Every structure is written in structure tokens, then in C-alpha cells.
């Protein structure tokens, strides 16, 4: 067996996979393979017989790796979930970042750490991006609702746009709720009354 | 000020007790600000609860037992606080295998487990590949019991693979598996995608089979009895609410929403009321007690259920069976259930262990109110399990 650790990254999204591979290459000299197709996942991983498998915790295919931890035949290489021998909170940090690792049994911790550090940093970035995207979508959605509520007020009360916005904002402040919630109520009520 | 508590779930219809506890206000009544966090896989959810990211979780009944036996996951020990749902699974086969079985004369009556199992084993004598959602699951337990009782050498003659239910239709179409056991609505969806047909409801193998449980870290349940009690009562009330047929439409509407299943309410309601599409011609069958939330002390965490699951897993994996039975029984916390639900009207069975599989019909049993009836829970082959170890 060569001394280089072999890593499999399970990732369907090509761009993300490339980013993970780059991070791992920066962290050390590893053999990195990407599997993007989940059909027959555990069989293909067994064939490749890696030292470490990295998988996104938001992917349902993680359960397919679970049976690798149970392989117990004499010819099987035991694969353990990283959580098994972790004292330093590395597993917790990994799960929080959104990645979980399956590591071949008996692999030394100092050999795994750089891999995990790189993966954790990268997945942190992914979850940040995901959160930002969600926030942007939400903001866009709220703006649309506020625009519709403004339009309703302008039509119903003959206000101009600034006055309609000021009225919405004042109502929100008086009731101690979010502007978008006032707008949503107005739009819903108008829908019911129309 | 409500106490915050975070629970994890997998977006499935049997997560309903958690969702209803939050949305109908049972958690709030108990002074809990219950936050629900979805997970994409059982392994991730197990790690979330055992590493303390969430306090409690919707879980496959065998997972905490397997962990107690040192199988799968290495985090903190999990306890079963109560049962969330009973039954709800169905077994199906690929379209190709269905054709072979039909040609050999199997009527696809969706009823007879002996005929269906024999037809299935005969159609694939060289070894069947079966997909289940998780290695330790009620689905896997049903399959092993069923085909083992019909003479298949278990587990070596069966090749049981983990396939997440949303990917099951794809795995069938690709020939990765030829048969499967999944919960609703995934069986129906596999049929509608053209990849397979349903063969049997899980209830044809065992009539009353605990499916999902409320799991929490053992240390948390011991250290936070007040919070654990509030959560258990809120969820028990949600289970009782779900047990009333007239609430199923509302429940379906709530579950259908985006943070939960994000699936059409009609599909969820069909699943909750046990209506399954079994063939590609759209034939529908109604399965009594398909997903059961409350009837017959459904939520009670019988120690004998833990012992039975542990005994079966130990038998398959070569562990010491008496030791495993004792471990499994310890995981199911009927003691905490009695303690924390004492202030409710929950009817408690007199005993915390029973002979599993012994009831061939609904049977009244001793309870404080004297009105508790336990539903028939027999296995199709008459198997019974005495937790004291007598066989």
C-alpha cells in the first residue's frame, strides 16, 4: 500500500467538488477521487477501498455509507465513522460545518487532522454561501410583498409611494412587528376581500 | 418565558407528532419554545442528537438499540423516551421482478405474506437485493423476519442495501435493488414512477410494529427531567390529537408546508389514512392501522420492544443474545414515560414488558382506567418473543 492517503469525496455538484478537491490538494499530498453519482455508492466505495470518505451532511446519500461501518467479514477493511475516536471536538466541528467523514479503522489522528481541517474550512464556506443565498431570496421576497402592499395603499387611499411606505412603517413600529409582516397581512387581507 | 428546545426530524409523515406539538401549540402549552430542525439522513440526525446539536430527535426505533450494542455511530448513548408511530411501511418489487412473479402465478393480492414471500424468493433464487432506508430500521427488521421465517438463510442469503427513500425509484430502475421496504409515500411514488409495484403492507408481516421513536441523549434525559417531561407531554398530546381521524386533513395541510415535508397535502393525507397505490394501473388499497399514532398505547415504550430488537440484531451479528436483550430493554425508558406522563390522562399498561407478538386479536388489559385495549400485534408466522429469554 502506498503511503499516500486516498480520499473519496461524495459530491454531486461539480463546482463544489472541484473546490473541495482544491482545498484538499492545498492541505497535503493525497489521492482524491470524486464520486458524483449516488447509484451503487457503497459498492463503488468498497471497490476503491479508500482511507477517508467525505460526504455532505445535507445529502441523503450519507445513509448509504453507513453500511460500510458495519462490514465485518474477514476480507473487509473496517471503516469507522470519525465520531468513534474523537476527543478534540473535530467530529462536532465537522458536522456543524456540514461535512461528515468516514475513516478507515486505525488511521492515526495526526494524519486525518489536516484533511478534516481543510474539509471543515471549505464546508463552512459552503454553508455561509447557502445562508447568504437564502437571506437574499428572503429579502427579495419581502421587497416584492412590500411593493404590493404599497401599491394597494396607493390605490385604496390615494397616497403617493413615499406616503404609503411611511404608513406601512409607522404601523409596523406601532405594533412592534416587522415591516414585511404588516405588508404580508395587508396583501392577505386584500386577497380575502377582493 | 418559554424554555427553548431544539428537536431534529427527517421530513416524513411520521414526524407528525413533533410538527403537531409545535404547530397546534402543545409545546407552547408546556412552556416550551420548540424549534424543529430537519436533517437529510438518519446517520446525520443520529449524530446531531448524540453530539448535542439537538436535544431530541425523531428516530428509527432500532437505531438507539443498535448504538447501545456498539453498532453504528459512536456518540453518546441514546434513550427512547416514547414511541412516535406504529406501522407505516410497505414492501415492493421492481417491475421486472413483478413480471416474473406474475408469470409464475402470483396474484398480487397485497395480503398473503406466505404466498408473496415464496413467490419473491422463487423469482430470484440466486439471492435477492433489497433496499431499505437504513441498516438499523423497522424496515430491515420486517424483511429479515419475513423472509427468514419462510426459509431464507438470514442474513447471508439476502443482500440488504441502504437506499434513501427519495432515491429508491432510481435504484430500482438502475437494477441496484430488486425489492424494497419503505414508508409512505415513497412506496406509492416508486409505483407511480413506473419503477415498481407494491407487494405487501408491513402489517401483513407484523400487525403492530413500533416504527419511529422520540430519542434523546441518556445523559440529557437524566439531567433535565423537567424539560424532558414537558417535551414528552407535548408530544403525547400531539399523538393523541393525531389519533383522532377528523384531524388528519388539518395535519396533512400542516405537514405539507415548506419547512416540513414540502409535498402536496393530498399525498400526505392518503398516506396518513393508509391509502396506497399498489400497481401502475392505479389500483388503490386501504391498509388498516397503516400509520398509527395513538390507539392502543401506541406511544408506550415497552421494554420488551427494545429487547426484541436487540435480540434480532444480536442474532444476525453474532453478539451475545441475553446480554443484548438486557441492553435493548434498558434503552426503552418506560420508567421515564410513567414518571413524566403521570400528570396526563395517558392510560398506562400495568406491565412494562410483554410477550411481543402474543396478541392475535385486540385484547383488553389491566390499566388504571380499566379501558385500555392493546391491538393485535402478532407476526404472520406465529412467532412470539418472551423478553425473559424463554423460547
Amino acid at each position: 500500500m502506498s503511503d499516500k492517503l486516498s480520499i473519496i469525496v461524495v459530491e454531486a455538484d461539480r463546482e463544489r467538488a472541484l473546490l473541495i478537491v482544491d482545498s484538499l490538494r492545498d492541505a497535503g499530498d493525497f489521492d482524491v477521487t470524486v464520486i458524483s453519482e449516488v447509484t451503487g455508492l457503497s459498492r463503488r466505495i468498497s471497490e476503491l477501498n479508500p482511507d477517508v470518505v467525505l460526504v455532505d451532511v445535507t445529502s441523503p446519500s450519507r445513509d448509504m455509507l453507513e453500511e460500510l461501518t458495519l462490514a465485518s467479514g474477514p476480507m473487509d477493511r473496517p471503516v469507522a465513522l470519525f465520531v468513534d475516536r474523537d476527543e478534540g471536538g473535530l467530529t462536532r466541528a465537522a458536522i456543524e460545518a456540514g461535512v461528515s467523514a468516514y475513516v478507515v479503522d486505525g488511521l492515526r489522528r495526526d494524519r486525518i487532522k489536516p484533511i478534516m481541517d481543510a474539509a471543515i474550512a471549505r464546508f463552512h464556506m459552503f454553508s455561509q454561501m447557502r445562508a447568504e443565498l437564502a437571506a437574499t431570496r428572503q429579502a427579495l421576497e419581502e421587497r416584492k410583498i412590500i411593493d404590493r402592499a404599497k401599491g394597494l395603499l396607493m390605490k385604496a387611499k390615494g397616497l403617493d409611494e413615499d406616503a404609503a411606505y411611511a404608513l406601512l412603517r409607522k404601523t409596523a413600529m406601532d405594533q412592534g412587528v416587522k415591516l414585511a409582516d404588516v405588508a404580508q397581512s395587508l396583501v392577505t387581507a386584500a386577497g380575502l376581500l377582493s | 418565558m418559554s424554555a427553548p428546545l431544539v428537536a431534529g426530524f427527517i421530513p416524513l409523515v411520521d414526524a407528525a407528532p413533533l410538527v403537531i406539538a409545535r404547530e397546534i401549540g402543545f409545546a407552547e402549552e408546556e412552556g416550551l419554545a420548540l424549534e424543529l430542525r430537519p436533517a437529510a439522513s438518519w446517520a446525520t440526525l443520529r449524530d446531531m442528537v448524540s453530539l448535542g446539536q439537538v436535544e431530541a430527535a425523531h428516530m428509527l426505533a432500532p437505531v438507539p438499540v443498535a448504538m447501545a450494542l456498539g453498532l453504528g455511530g459512536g456518540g453518546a448513548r441514546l434513550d427512547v423516551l416514547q414511541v412516535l408511530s406504529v406501522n407505516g411501511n410497505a414492501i415492493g418489487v421492481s417491475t421486472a421482478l413483478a413480471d416474473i412473479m406474475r408469470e409464475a402465478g402470483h396474484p398480487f393480492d397485497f395480503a398473503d405474506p406466505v404466498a408473496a414471500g415464496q413467490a419473491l424468493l422463487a423469482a430470484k433464487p440466486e439471492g435477492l437485493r433489497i433496499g431499505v432506508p437504513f441498516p438499523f430500521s423497522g424496515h430491515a427488521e420486517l424483511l429479515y423476519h419475513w423472509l427468514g421465517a419462510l426459509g431464507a438463510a438470514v442474513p447471508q442469503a439476502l443482500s440488504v442495501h441502504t437506499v434513501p427513500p427519495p432515491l429508491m425509484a432510481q435504484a430500482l430502475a438502475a437494477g441496484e435493488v430488486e425489492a424494497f421496504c419503505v414508508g409512505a409515500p415513497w412506496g406509492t411514488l416508486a409505483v407511480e414512477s413506473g419503477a415498481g409495484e407494491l407487494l405487501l403492507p408491513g402489517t401483513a408481516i407484523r400487525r403492530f410494529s413500533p416504527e419511529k421513536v422520540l430519542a434523546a441523549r441518556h445523559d440529557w434525559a437524566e439531567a433535565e427531567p423537567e424539560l424532558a417531561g414537558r417535551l414528552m407531554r407535548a408530544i403525547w398530546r400531539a399523538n393523541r390529537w393525531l389519533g383522532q381521524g377528523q384531524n388528519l386533513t388539518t395535519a396533512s395541510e400542516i405537514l405539507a408546508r415548506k419547512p416540513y415535508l414540502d409535498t402536496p397535502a393530498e399525498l400526505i393525507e392518503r398516506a396518513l389514512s393508509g391509502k396506497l397505490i399498489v400497481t401502475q394501473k392505479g389500483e388503490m388499497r386501504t391498509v388498516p392501522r397503516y400509520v398509527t399514532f395513538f390507539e392502543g398505547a401506541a406511544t408506550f415504550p415497552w421494554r420488551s420492544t427494545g429487547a426484541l430488537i436487540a435480540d434480532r440484531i444480536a442474532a444476525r451479528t453474532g453478539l451475545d443474545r441475553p446480554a443484548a436483550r438486557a441492553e435493548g430493554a434498558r434503552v426503552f425508558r418506560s420508567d421515564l414515560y410513567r414518571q413524566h406522563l403521570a400528570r396526563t390522562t395517558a392510560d398506562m399498561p400495568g406491565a412494562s414488558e410483554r410477550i411481543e407478538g402474543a396478541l392475535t386479536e385486540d385484547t383488553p388489559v389491566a390499566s388504571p382506567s380499566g379501558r385500555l385495549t392493546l391491538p393485535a400485534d402478532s407476526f404472520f408466522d406465529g412467532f412470539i418473543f418472551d423478553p425473559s429469554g424463554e423460547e
Side-chain angles (χ1 to χ4, degrees):
Chain A
M1 192 177 93
S2 96
D3 201 41
K4 231 197 238 185
L5 288 184
S6 58
I7 306 174
I8 289 181
V9 175
V10 181
E11 177 57 65
D13 182 315
R14 197 181 133 75
E15 299 245 322
R16 279 169 56 115
L18 289 176
L19 289 169
I20 300 165
V21 171
D22 284 349
S23 303
L24 292 171
R25 293 245 159 90
D26 290 345
D29 189 17
F30 308 116
D31 265 334
V32 186
T33 310
V34 173
I35 298 184
S36 57
E37 172 60 50
V38 297
T39 310
L41 185 59
S42 73
R43 179 171 47 79
R44 288 165 62 193
I45 290 176
S46 306
E47 283 163 11
L48 292 166
N49 199 16
D51 297 299
V52 177
V53 183
L54 296 174
V55 57
D56 186 335
V57 298
T58 62
S59 157
S61 59
R62 192 188 152 193
D63 277 345
M64 301 170 94
L65 303 181
E66 205 52 31
E67 61 194 50
L68 294 174
T69 68
L70 307 167
S72 57
M75 301 305 287
D76 291 331
R77 252 176 126 199
V79 176
L81 178 61
F82 194 56
V83 74
D84 275 349
R85 65 185 62 65
D86 176 45
E87 312 88 37
L90 209 49
T91 303
R92 189 187 307 260
I95 298 271
E96 270 164 20
V99 60
S100 47
Y102 288 82
V103 176
V104 73
D105 212 15
L107 197 58
R108 283 209 330 268
R109 182 183 165 79
D110 58 343
R111 301 195 68 193
I112 303 163
K113 182 132 189 340
I115 299 172
M116 290 311 296
D117 284 346
I120 288 170
R122 177 55 71 189
F123 275 83
H124 255 313
M125 237 146 94
F126 288 155
S127 51
Q128 244 166 37
M129 277 159 58
R130 201 154 23 201
E132 273 164 27
L133 185 65
T136 312
R137 279 215 187 106
Q138 165 96 15
L140 196 66
E141 205 52 44
E142 286 183 357
R143 238 192 61 199
K144 271 197 244 161
I145 295 283
I146 292 169
D147 281 345
R148 282 177 61 194
K150 270 195 306 196
L152 287 166
L153 285 179
M154 287 159 71
K155 208 169 136 195
K157 304 190 70 167
L159 299 172
D160 67 19
E161 189 171 347
D162 287 344
Y165 185 74
L167 180 58
L168 281 173
R169 207 172 57 176
K170 182 176 180 314
T171 312
M173 282 168 69
D174 288 349
Q175 299 187 0
V177 293
K178 278 169 55 191
L179 182 61
D181 293 340
V182 174
Q184 180 66 61
S185 313
L186 187 61
V187 170
T188 308
L192 288 174
L193 294 171
S194 69
Chain B
M1 185 69 194
S2 290
L5 196 149
V6 189
F9 72 102
I10 304 275
L12 296 172
V13 292
D14 52 25
L18 283 164
V19 172
I20 294 304
R22 179 186 149 82
E23 296 291 332
I24 300 291
F26 298 117
E28 206 179 339
E29 259 174 39
E30 283 286 343
L32 279 184
L34 178 62
E35 185 194 325
L36 297 180
R37 202 169 291 169
S41 69
W42 291 110
T44 297
L45 187 52
R46 176 198 61 201
D47 293 349
M48 280 163 68
V49 65
S50 92
L51 292 169
Q53 284 191 307
V54 297
E55 271 94 22
H58 169 224
M59 190 51 66
L60 295 156
V63 167
V65 175
M67 282 177 84
L69 301 180
L71 298 168
R77 173 182 159 185
L78 299 185
D79 279 350
V80 170
L81 304 183
Q82 65 208 72
V83 175
L84 294 178
S85 66
V86 173
N87 299 336
N89 295 325
I91 290 159
V93 293
S94 69
T95 312
L97 205 57
D99 288 343
I100 296 173
M101 290 168 68
R102 197 167 272 126
E103 211 146 290
H106 185 63
F108 279 81
D109 58 1
F110 203 59
D112 181 348
V114 176
Q118 284 167 346
L120 181 60
L121 292 171
K124 201 78 176 88
E126 69 280 18
L128 193 61
R129 284 172 301 166
I130 313 178
V132 295
F134 202 67
F136 302 109
S137 57
H139 316 75
E141 294 303 318
L142 281 175
L143 282 169
Y144 284 127
H145 182 88
W146 175 44
L147 297 175
L150 293 175
V154 170
Q156 58 277 17
L158 305 176
S159 153
V160 175
H161 292 290
T162 304
V163 181
L167 306 176
M168 199 64 85
Q170 197 185 328
L172 278 169
E176 282 293 321
V177 295
E178 292 120 4
F180 60 94
C181 182
V182 291
W186 300 107
T188 290
L189 288 178
V191 172
E192 286 177 345
S193 76
E197 294 193 21
L198 292 189
L199 187 57
L200 278 183
T203 48
I205 296 167
R206 186 179 185 190
R207 291 167 73 183
F208 205 76
S209 181
E211 171 61 27
K212 301 294 177 351
V213 296
L214 179 69
R217 265 188 330 287
H218 172 77
D219 294 343
W220 178 81
E222 292 292 332
E224 299 282 358
E226 173 62 29
L227 274 182
R230 291 191 202 177
L231 178 67
M232 290 168 71
R233 287 187 293 273
I235 289 177
W236 177 80
R237 290 196 181 96
N239 273 85
R240 183 176 57 176
W241 186 89
L242 283 161
Q244 290 161 346
Q246 75 270 22
N247 291 334
L248 290 186
T249 305
T250 313
S252 307
E253 294 286 342
I254 293 170
L255 285 166
R257 287 182 198 160
K258 192 157 183 158
Y260 305 122
L261 272 64
D262 198 11
T263 300
E266 185 240 331
L267 200 63
I268 296 171
E269 187 167 6
R270 235 169 37 189
L272 288 177
S273 47
K275 295 193 176 74
L276 303 183
I277 306 272
V278 295
T279 65
Q280 271 145 35
K281 279 175 253 157
E283 218 178 316
M284 194 189 273
R285 298 288 168 88
T286 302
V287 181
R289 289 181 177 152
Y290 183 62
V291 188
T292 302
F293 292 109
F294 193 69
E295 187 192 2
T299 53
F300 190 78
W302 294 92
R303 288 168 49 82
S304 45
T305 301
L308 169 59
I309 295 169
D311 183 79
R312 302 289 82 201
I313 292 176
R316 284 199 303 275
T317 52
L319 297 172
D320 179 64
R321 286 170 62 187
R325 285 196 286 266
E327 277 298 329
R330 261 199 291 282
V331 169
F332 274 62
R333 299 298 303 272
S334 48
D335 57 331
L336 288 183
Y337 186 90
R338 287 182 191 282
Q339 178 190 335
H340 292 315
L341 292 180
R343 277 194 266 148
T344 66
T345 56
D347 212 355
M348 305 282 176
S352 294
E353 301 206 334
R354 59 172 168 169
I355 297 183
E356 298 273 333
L359 303 182
T360 53
E361 52 192 278
D362 294 0
T363 308
V365 294
S367 79
S369 78
R371 284 192 304 271
L372 182 60
T373 294
L374 293 185
D377 76 329
S378 50
F379 289 85
F380 80 100
D381 59 334
F383 169 85
I384 57 165
F385 172 78
D386 182 342
S388 66
E390 313 290 321
E391 293 193 28

